[in-house]
Amino acid sequence: MDFDAAAWMLVRAVEHLTIRYLLEDPPIPRDRFLTDITRLVLNYFRDPRPRAERE
């Protein structure tokens, strides 16, 4: 994985979603938005292979 490129894309995605959330004021509670964006960040770098294949 190209971590520099991945980090750049992740920062841009979070930046964009955060700005749009503030400007558009969607019917999404703040806690839900934070939970979902946290899940997005944490899963972005997750290895998609099943655990057995990683070991």
Side-chain angles (χ1 to χ4, degrees):
M1 174 182 277
D2 181 347
F3 286 103
D4 289 336
W8 183 87
M9 286 189 274
L10 185 60
V11 167
R12 295 301 155 257
V14 170
E15 179 181 55
H16 178 77
L17 288 169
T18 302
I19 290 170
R20 297 315 317 165
Y21 180 79
L22 293 171
L23 293 176
E24 295 177 15
D25 193 26
I28 303 168
R30 182 179 182 273
D31 288 343
R32 178 58 193 242
F33 176 78
L34 293 174
T35 297
D36 288 350
I37 208 158
T38 299
R39 185 179 302 127
L40 173 80
V41 169
L42 293 176
N43 286 321
Y44 190 79
F45 289 106
R46 182 185 230 184
D47 191 341
R49 297 175 296 164
R51 180 177 284 182
E53 291 179 24
R54 289 181 268 163
E55 297 172 352

